[in-house]
Amino acid sequence: MCTPSKYSLFVHRVALDTGRGARLLMSFLLLLILMCSNAIGQTSQSVQLLGNYQGHKERNPQGTYYSSVWGYYDADGREYAFLGCFRGTAIVDLTYLPDSLHEVAFIPGPVASYSYREFKTYLHYLYIVSEGGEGVQIVDLSGLPNSVRFVGSFTYPGYTRTHTIGESDGYLYLNGGNATPVGGTAIVSVRTPEQPELVGAFNGHYVHDTYARGDRLYAAGIYGQGLTILNIANKQAPTVLKTITYPGAGTHNAWTTDDGAYVLTTDEIGFTPKTLKIWDVRDVQNTSQVAEWNPRPAETIHNVCVKGDFAYVAYYKAGFLVADISNRTGPTLAGYYDTYPSTSSALYDGAWGVYPYLPSGRILVSDMQTGLYVFRFDAQQIGRIEGRITDAATGTPIQNALMRIQETGQTRWTNSSGKFMWGYAVGTFNLSVEKNGYQTRTLSAIIVRDQTVTMNVALIPAAPTDADDNNNVPAEFSLHQNFPNPFNPSTTILFDLPTTARAELVVVDVLGREHARLVDGVLSNGRHRVQFALPGLPSGVYFSILRVDGRFLSRSMLMVK
């Protein structure tokens, strides 16, 4: 590599000499400096390097140091990277960029012949797999940035190792290794995050990687099977919808566009050209290839993922590339950064993985030799949504409420303050917000470029069922919030009696005037429900008041016409 500062000193010395030869030599060296500067500048385009981390640089038997990368951010937007190392997983805090990348934890893991390790997250949990064994490692991230908690490892009979891992909407997809008898895909529920449950499997052929979107799973059959599209609506019994085959297929991984209309695939082996292929899958029984893209024909593509109108590609020795796929039939090169500039070849060195989903716009890339890179891509169009989820009746924040994003399969959650954050490409997305004990809300969210949109959501308590009324004897005297609330024209009021007692239940207005006497007499223990409806009741605030043995409880209610 040229070093302009060294040659600059030499040119300065030559300039002190006299004679035409010295002047010609000086001109030649100046030209050399310009050429070197131009070559150095061509290692990137529209991509800015923010930081590089090379901790735990221990060479594996294959002669490399690192493997995959993934990202994570909490409800306050603090961002982290996970990097696969030979002997475990490094967790790196991005908070102190551009000054430093700070490792906050290291999770030891089994070693394989090379530094193979892959990751996915669900809520505040990290799931790690390896070809070295130990099944799925589970790490609780809720203590970050101060600490993490290793929960344990998940295995099942016959399963110890995995090649790759996918996640969508609370389900893990364990691919390759011995996940199934032929190395297919096992489907594992982590909706109870610390207690994974094997729920189903695809065992049709070896699966190198998968991508799940909605009720479809795209399975990459690297040994010539092509791309298998599965219906996973019933996760206990996936069924094949379509297999896309092509000559010399070495299908390595797949990712869909946000609308699910197209799927992008890469090929690592086989005699097919090592291109990024784009397939139209809107009609799953009539799929077709609509584009093929390879700006680095001498090198091998590895992994691709999609956000908005861009495909983010880890391209081995070509480094990190970004394709503009706004025209699905004509991708173009939008940016790149060569993490392995010393040489070009089709060998498996250089960039392994990429993660472009942090709300700040930072992009994570792992290089097998030189570790974790943090980039910014100039042309990306991103924004974020943040807000709080509260109880519609009381206004109190709801912790661990779930937000499911239909288009991406991503899940966000609320912290103890009811706060959530989600960052993505600009567009309109369908979200569902849910929490046990509340009615699920489905709503539309718009992400605006370079803006933070506030979206506060109030969840209405779910109506108790008859089964709730027939549960065990209540432990204490209580009056529940009416539902629905606000109400029009009627609402339901529930209260609990731990023993048989005389009870009075009345409805009054803000001046204390009684409008209805709903209960007045001796009642048995248990849960009681009463309907309240009063024709002609004006809009306003009212109170339900329960009196039992000289004790009073009250709840406010809102009548809205």
Side-chain angles (χ1 to χ4, degrees), residues 160-378:
T160 56
R161 55 189 175 83
T162 307
H163 193 68
T164 60
I165 180 173
E167 185 279 330
S168 179
D169 201 21
Y171 290 90
L172 301 180
Y173 299 88
L174 308 180
N175 313 303
N178 57 9
T180 77
V182 300
T185 297
I187 304 175
V188 174
S189 172
V190 288
R191 291 193 167 187
T192 302
E194 296 190 12
Q195 299 174 8
E197 178 186 4
L198 177 66
V199 296
F202 168 69
N203 198 41
H205 57 73
Y206 180 87
V207 176
H208 182 274
D209 202 357
T210 56
Y211 179 76
R213 184 189 185 277
D215 289 338
R216 288 188 186 181
L217 182 70
Y218 298 86
I222 195 170
Y223 296 125
Q225 297 89 355
L227 182 69
T228 301
I229 305 175
L230 301 164
N231 182 340
I232 53 170
N234 178 0
K235 292 181 172 53
Q236 295 179 339
T239 58
V240 175
L241 295 173
K242 174 77 171 183
T243 298
I244 299 174
T245 59
Y246 49 99
T251 317
H252 182 265
N253 89 308
W255 210 280
T256 72
T257 53
D258 290 339
D259 59 8
Y262 298 86
V263 60
L264 287 69
T265 61
T266 65
D267 289 274
E268 187 181 53
I269 64 174
F271 62 79
T272 186
K274 304 305 181 287
T275 54
L276 179 69
K277 298 174 176 65
I278 302 181
W279 309 86
D280 185 338
V281 293
R282 287 173 291 184
D283 180 354
V284 74
Q285 297 304 326
N286 189 29
T287 60
S288 62
Q289 182 178 322
V290 298
E292 200 165 11
W293 181 75
N294 187 358
R296 299 291 189 269
E299 294 161 293
T300 302
I301 196 169
H302 192 217
N303 286 319
V304 63
C305 56
V306 177
K307 183 178 72 173
D309 285 333
F310 293 100
Y312 298 83
V313 184
Y315 220 106
Y316 278 134
K317 287 194 174 184
F320 165 54
L321 279 67
V322 185
D324 183 337
I325 57 169
S326 54
N327 176 2
R328 307 300 197 223
T329 63
T332 58
L333 181 63
Y336 64 88
Y337 190 101
D338 193 349
T339 62
Y340 199 92
S342 59
T343 185
S344 297
S345 76
L347 298 178
Y348 304 139
D349 288 312
W352 178 295
V354 56
Y355 180 89
Y357 302 112
L358 295 173
S360 66
R362 295 164 174 157
I363 299 167
L364 308 176
V365 173
S366 60
D367 183 281
M368 298 168 70
Q369 279 72 28
T370 52
L372 169 68
Y373 288 83
V374 185
F375 295 119
R376 185 177 300 280
F377 170 49
D378 295 342

Side-chain angles (χ1 to χ4, degrees), residues 2-283:
C2 297
T3 308
S5 59
K6 176 177 66 177
Y7 288 113
S8 297
L9 292 174
F10 181 69
V11 169
H12 178 69
R13 289 196 298 269
V14 171
L16 297 178
D17 297 334
T18 59
R20 183 179 178 186
R23 289 194 298 271
L24 288 174
L25 180 58
M26 182 172 67
S27 298
F28 170 76
L29 291 173
L30 286 171
L31 178 61
L32 179 62
I33 293 170
L34 291 174
M35 292 174 62
C36 293
S37 298
N38 183 62
I40 293 170
Q42 290 304 303
T43 60
S44 67
Q45 173 189 311
S46 301
V47 174
Q48 311 301 320
L49 175 63
L50 303 180
N52 175 234
Y53 163 90
Q54 297 190 41
H56 303 280
K57 192 167 186 177
E58 183 177 356
R59 186 188 298 269
N60 60 51
Q62 300 295 320
T64 60
Y65 304 94
Y66 304 104
S67 58
S68 193
V69 69
W70 202 246
Y72 169 81
Y73 61 97
D74 61 24
D76 293 316
R78 189 161 183 149
E79 299 176 346
Y80 302 87
F82 310 118
L83 178 66
C85 307
F86 182 46
R87 297 192 181 276
T89 301
I91 302 179
V92 180
D93 190 344
L94 310 184
T95 303
Y96 306 103
L97 285 171
D99 296 329
S100 67
L101 287 166
H102 176 60
E103 181 184 308
V104 292
F106 186 80
I107 310 300
V111 299
S113 60
Y114 57 117
S115 302
Y116 200 93
R117 224 166 292 283
E118 289 226 348
F119 327 96
K120 290 295 182 291
T121 60
Y122 176 64
L123 305 183
H124 56 80
Y125 288 88
L126 170 65
Y127 299 91
I128 309 169
V129 297
S130 168
E131 285 277 20
E134 291 190 17
V136 182
Q137 293 183 301
I138 308 169
V139 182
D140 178 4
L141 305 172
S142 61
L144 288 173
N146 300 315
S147 64
V148 299
R149 177 174 63 92
F150 180 70
V151 175
S153 294
F154 167 71
T155 61
Y156 51 85
Y159 166 66
T160 56
R161 55 189 175 83
T162 307
H163 193 68
T164 60
I165 180 173
E167 185 279 330
S168 179
D169 201 21
Y171 290 90
L172 301 180
Y173 299 88
L174 308 180
N175 313 303
N178 57 9
T180 77
V182 300
T185 297
I187 304 175
V188 174
S189 172
V190 288
R191 291 193 167 187
T192 302
E194 296 190 12
Q195 299 174 8
E197 178 186 4
L198 177 66
V199 296
F202 168 69
N203 198 41
H205 57 73
Y206 180 87
V207 176
H208 182 274
D209 202 357
T210 56
Y211 179 76
R213 184 189 185 277
D215 289 338
R216 288 188 186 181
L217 182 70
Y218 298 86
I222 195 170
Y223 296 125
Q225 297 89 355
L227 182 69
T228 301
I229 305 175
L230 301 164
N231 182 340
I232 53 170
N234 178 0
K235 292 181 172 53
Q236 295 179 339
T239 58
V240 175
L241 295 173
K242 174 77 171 183
T243 298
I244 299 174
T245 59
Y246 49 99
T251 317
H252 182 265
N253 89 308
W255 210 280
T256 72
T257 53
D258 290 339
D259 59 8
Y262 298 86
V263 60
L264 287 69
T265 61
T266 65
D267 289 274
E268 187 181 53
I269 64 174
F271 62 79
T272 186
K274 304 305 181 287
T275 54
L276 179 69
K277 298 174 176 65
I278 302 181
W279 309 86
D280 185 338
V281 293
R282 287 173 291 184
D283 180 354

